[in-house]
Amino acid sequence: MSSVFKYAGQGVFYAALAALIGYFSTTPAYRHFPEDQALLRLAFNHGGAPVTECRKRTREELAKLPPNMRKPQSCPRGRVSLAVELALDGETIYRDSAKPTGLFGDGPSKIYQKFALPVGRHKIDVRMRDSRRESGFDYERTFDLDLGPRHSMVIDFRAEGGGFIILK
Amino acid sequence: MKFIQSLLRRGFEPMEAALSRVFTPAWNPFYQLGAIGFFFLWIVVASGVYIYIFFDTSIHGAYSSMERLTYDQWYFGGVMRSFHRYASDGMVVVMALHMLREFALDRFRGVRWFSWATGTPVIWLVIISGITGYWLVWDQLAQYIAVNTTEWLDLLPIFGGTIARNFLTNTGLSDRFFTLLVFLHIAVPLFLVFTLWIHIVRVSRAKVNPAFGLMAGITLMLLVLAFIKPALSQPPADMALVPGELAMDWYYLAFFPLLDSWPGNLVWAFAGIATLLLMVVPWLPRGRRVPAAVVDLDNCNGCTRCVEDCPYNAVTMMPRSDGKPFPQEAVVKPKLCVGCGICAGACPSSTPFRRAVEPITGIDLPDRPIKVLRQDTEQAAARLTGPSSILVYSCRYSVAAKDLENSNIAVVDLPCIAALPPSFIDYVLSRKLADGVALVGCPDSGCYNRFGVEWMKDRIDRKRDPHLRQRVPRDRIAALWIGRFEKAKAKRELQAFSQHLAQMTPAHSEEDAGVKRV
């Protein structure tokens, strides 16, 4: 093979490799999220109430304990699961019971849910029960949201701030 | 699996043959894919160091610093950025080709399991390095990667479901977390280099630098690509907006769309099973374990030729244990031996000329000793009845030469062409067992056993011990370094060699060649 053809062949090889590398480094484009939708995320960490009430220890029980551990009350480590609901324009689209984390169920429950919603105005109701009661909710809030194309909204929960909030 | 391997080989071989013609075998990119991968890595490291000098490691300064580098310093900083991206992509391309080629050639079983198994974490480390790199630019692609990666990682119990909370809003973004990413983008590639060292540590004479011309060609290619299509950022990240259409780097981010359509736990299961399957490939069925070479101390004088030639570091020299007056003896490590027989071909005791005693050599293959090779040679020669006869020694990983046998072509199979001691060529020609000897091996520079073809060529050219004796007429020897599927070419070449032999005077007699029977 003449050297002209050899160099031409090498050029073709490098051009093909460059095309392969260059093309797939950016193309084809990938549509991650549609233009006519918005994203709502419900994301918070919160610890539920202890599974039972604290109990006062008897004298006998206290006597059996080492002196440095004689706390008058015995409190359970475990926490209750959180009951969480989210309704879109009056229709419940999410209902969950979030278990506490940790080996002994004594950590906070963690919620991270994503909802793709149509663009436009929506009424969002969020409810959460973190107590030992069987029904009803301890925190409820309604948000009127005007969601634009690909808008991202986050609903968080701050117990010390009064409940559910929109994160800015 | 055999079918897939055969299919892949049929794909690779024509490309390799074409590239050997264009680049010459010594420069053939397909014969040095691993080395090209290393070269890409060094480019990535060098360009990365330069970019880091100008990179602002805060989450609010990262994007603008990359924009300044790309536009204000387009003539060098921008080029370095493109080098960084495209060399990284090139690394994935050659890594994939390297893995597929080794799979196609069945070069992952036996002793080779180590390189295969340690290559699997290399894939993970390369991908993680790339992902953390894209993250640092902090554009919309980075935002997409950040959210999806952290959501995926949060499914693992060790992370406790809290990492994704770092990427909820613009105000919640933390410089500290971003600094951790910068650290990861440096630490993971460093660990990658360490893993690559482990990957090749058992490979003797591992090729980590491609031919100089290839390095120049690749650098020029990257430079042209950097000017034609410079690496650019996408619009800056904004947590108030979900990224819509993205220009994806499919080499690194191909599995991200899976996270959009599959449950994250399923993607973890998929990634785990795929990794596990890759790891266990060397132990899948069809692993015929070839017996390791054995040393016969009575015939070993500790010359070290077998140690020099073994492509797998399976032979070492140890102090003499039998009291013979030589300082050392060869010792085989059976776990590293693939039974290629190159050591037997290198042993000066491997000669077929002995008649008084049975041919026994210093190091030999238990399932194909030298005495059997001589028997096979004589039996094959006995089948030659036609004119211009050729005795073919053929590597079993090259073309199936047995299919070409006829009245003037007889074939002796070998585990590797360098398993043939050169004295056998002398034996065939001086004893007039055939008019010519053809050596059929893997394509030049593409030897299944890495160095078989190279060693054999050097032995014939008297550059490497054991030399082919000077008296052996070189014009009665033909060498065909061809691929498994090039049967037509092999047939053509052998016919041409036969015609060449027909035009010559009859083979030298033993007396002409100065051979005396022993």
Side-chain angles (χ1 to χ4, degrees), chain A residues 6 9-10 13-14 20-22 24-33 43-44 110 112 114 150 152 156 168, chain B residues 21-22 86 89 144 151 160 162 165 171 217 229 239-251 260:
Chain A
K6 278 188 176 178
Q10 289 180 22
F13 169 79
Y14 287 123
L20 182 72
I21 290 174
F24 288 108
S25 72
T26 53
T27 32
Y30 171 66
R31 165 63 65 182
H32 164 54
F33 201 78
F44 63 90
K110 291 176 178 177
Y112 187 92
K114 297 196 291 186
R150 294 194 287 114
S152 174
D156 197 358
K168 300 284 182 195
Chain B
R21 282 196 291 276
V22 168
Y86 295 134
D89 289 339
Y144 166 70
E151 286 175 357
T162 52
R165 285 188 60 81
T171 51
K229 192 183 177 192
M239 302 311 295
L241 278 178
V242 187
E245 192 165 274
L246 295 162
M248 293 274 275
D249 184 335
W250 293 96
Y251 294 110
D260 287 339

Side-chain angles (χ1 to χ4, degrees), chain B residues 377-385 391 410 433:
Chain B
T377 298
E378 287 168 351
Q379 283 168 9
R383 295 197 294 273
L384 292 168
T385 52
L391 192 89
L433 299 179

